[in-house]
Amino acid sequence: MKAIGPLARATVRPGADGELGGFGGLFDLKAAGFTDPLLVAATDGVGTKLKIAIECDKHDTVGIDLVAMCVNDLVVQGAEPLFFLDYFASGKLSPRVAESVIGGIAEGCRQAGCALIGGETAEMPGMYVDSDYDLAGFTVGAVERDKLLTGVEVAIGDVVLGLASDGVHANGFSLVRRVVETQGLGYGDAAPFAPGQLLGDVLLTPTRIYVKACLDAVRTGSVRALAHITGGGLTENVPRVLPDDAAATLDASCWTRPAVFDWLASAGRIDPMEMHRTFNCGIGMVVVVAPGAATEIMSQLRAAGETVFQIGEITPRNGGDPVILAGL
């Protein structure tokens, strides 16, 4: 608790004081500047990416993953993440590991602009092997009632933009680990696709947090919908924000795919469509914008530090698939 306290205080923001120790965390919506807000909540974990972190004894990035997987799900509804809570369970608590993990959580909260206001640390011998641990994250955000993004405004002719991912992010790691195993590699070995880097370090690159760039874009009023590309890839996440009569026609040749995905596809002999159902394949967030605003929104997102590709358009579905993926 003494080690974690300063980490939480570093995430203070209007509405939260960043102090820990009570039975529940408090947040003041009025102090955060909202007048007629809807609350939006999300929860997620990091999955078997944790197995790689444990094997590499590198624990400072999975906390960022944990925050990212939650807050990126909030921003797609136009919500600003306000606060975050974590659950850390282990067989035998290592203060060094816990501090490293929660340091990553605090860093993720800083990137997302939300406060770390509480959490739970559970030591459960017999449930977990001594060195193993698991994480769960919980976040709450808010959006003014008249600013909620639902996808209902998506229209035929809208432009589909893709924001680049930073790698595998935090989905599909059971398959990643299987490919590594069948190739006879260790996580301390050189990455076959990234000269000068260790395989474990590349795979532990944390999930990109898109919150601040996307919120600024949403505030222009030109964004029709956002989709966080996690498990299920483009083919299963984009339909969640489309009207029943609309499809997203996308061209995979329009964006640069990180080398890790080419290696996984080749080494694992994974079918192209299966790759796009399992991984983000280089696109971590989809932004649907009004056609006349595409150039302006792309420039704004790039100025915010994002790598942006124009990857497709919204077309009539005509009873077909909600996502048409060409250029594979």
Side-chain angles (χ1 to χ4, degrees), residues 17 19 26 31 35 49 54 90 95 118 137 190-191 197 202 220 239 246 248 265 328:
D17 61 14
E19 291 294 332
L26 301 177
T35 55
K49 188 174 186 177
I54 292 165
S90 64
Q197 296 181 270
V202 176
T220 68
L328 297 179

Side-chain angles (χ1 to χ4, degrees), residues 48-110:
T48 59
K49 188 174 186 177
L50 294 177
K51 298 290 286 185
I52 300 176
I54 292 165
E55 187 164 335
C56 295
D57 195 24
K58 179 178 171 59
H59 310 279
D60 57 337
T61 60
V62 290
I64 300 174
D65 282 302
L66 184 67
V67 175
M69 295 301 289
C70 294
V71 298
N72 286 340
D73 279 354
L74 290 189
V75 75
V76 300
Q77 294 172 90
E80 175 186 346
L82 301 176
F83 59 85
F84 191 88
L85 300 97
D86 68 274
Y87 176 77
F88 181 104
S90 64
K92 182 174 177 57
L93 180 65
S94 164
R96 174 187 66 85
V97 171
E99 185 178 354
S100 183
V101 170
I102 296 172
I105 292 172
E107 172 59 26
C109 287
R110 282 193 292 271

Side-chain angles (χ1 to χ4, degrees), residues 55-328:
E55 187 164 335
C56 295
D57 195 24
K58 179 178 171 59
H59 310 279
D60 57 337
T61 60
V62 290
I64 300 174
D65 282 302
L66 184 67
V67 175
M69 295 301 289
C70 294
V71 298
N72 286 340
D73 279 354
L74 290 189
V75 75
V76 300
Q77 294 172 90
E80 175 186 346
L82 301 176
F83 59 85
F84 191 88
L85 300 97
D86 68 274
Y87 176 77
F88 181 104
S90 64
K92 182 174 177 57
L93 180 65
S94 164
R96 174 187 66 85
V97 171
E99 185 178 354
S100 183
V101 170
I102 296 172
I105 292 172
E107 172 59 26
C109 287
R110 282 193 292 271
Q111 291 183 27
C114 63
L116 177 60
I117 66 169
E120 171 70 8
T121 302
E123 192 173 44
M124 297 189 287
M127 180 68 74
Y128 299 97
V129 176
D130 282 354
S131 62
D132 284 354
Y133 61 87
D134 198 9
L135 297 174
F138 313 87
T139 189
V140 172
V143 57
E144 296 291 3
R145 190 178 302 271
D146 61 346
K147 302 297 184 184
L148 182 68
L149 277 184
T150 64
V152 69
E153 295 183 349
V154 172
I156 307 303
D158 283 350
V159 175
V160 182
L161 307 178
L163 306 189
S165 70
D166 283 344
V168 184
H169 285 181
N171 296 104
F173 271 87
S174 294
L175 180 52
V176 170
R177 290 167 48 242
R178 179 62 176 161
V179 172
V180 171
E181 179 186 346
T182 59
Q183 293 298 298
L185 294 171
Y187 297 110
D189 293 339
F193 51 86
Q197 296 181 270
L198 299 181
L199 179 58
D201 289 344
V202 176
L203 294 176
L204 288 173
T205 301
T207 305
R208 188 167 185 83
I209 293 175
Y210 299 99
V211 168
K212 292 183 178 179
C214 284
L215 279 179
D216 286 343
V218 167
R219 288 172 183 136
T220 68
S222 298
V223 173
R224 313 272 209 193
L226 297 166
H228 182 202
I229 309 306
T230 56
L234 289 162
T235 59
E236 294 183 11
N237 286 291
V238 174
R240 297 164 71 177
V241 298
L242 296 179
D244 290 341
D245 62 346
T249 298
L250 310 178
D251 185 349
S253 68
C254 290
W255 70 85
T256 303
R257 189 162 81 166
V260 61
F261 296 112
D262 292 329
W263 176 76
L264 285 167
S266 175
R269 293 178 292 180
I270 305 170
D271 175 80
M273 284 303 296
E274 185 62 26
M275 283 292 299
H276 283 82
R277 278 192 295 266
T278 305
F279 301 110
N280 66 65
C281 288
I283 298 296
M285 182 71 74
V286 161
V287 185
V288 181
V289 299
T295 300
E296 177 188 353
I297 295 297
M298 289 177 75
S299 296
Q300 180 178 333
L301 289 166
R302 285 171 179 153
E306 300 298 335
T307 300
V308 189
F309 306 97
Q310 185 168 327
I311 64 172
E313 64 177 337
I314 302 301
T315 56
R317 187 177 303 190
N318 295 328
D321 293 332
V323 172
I324 302 163
L325 193 55
L328 297 179

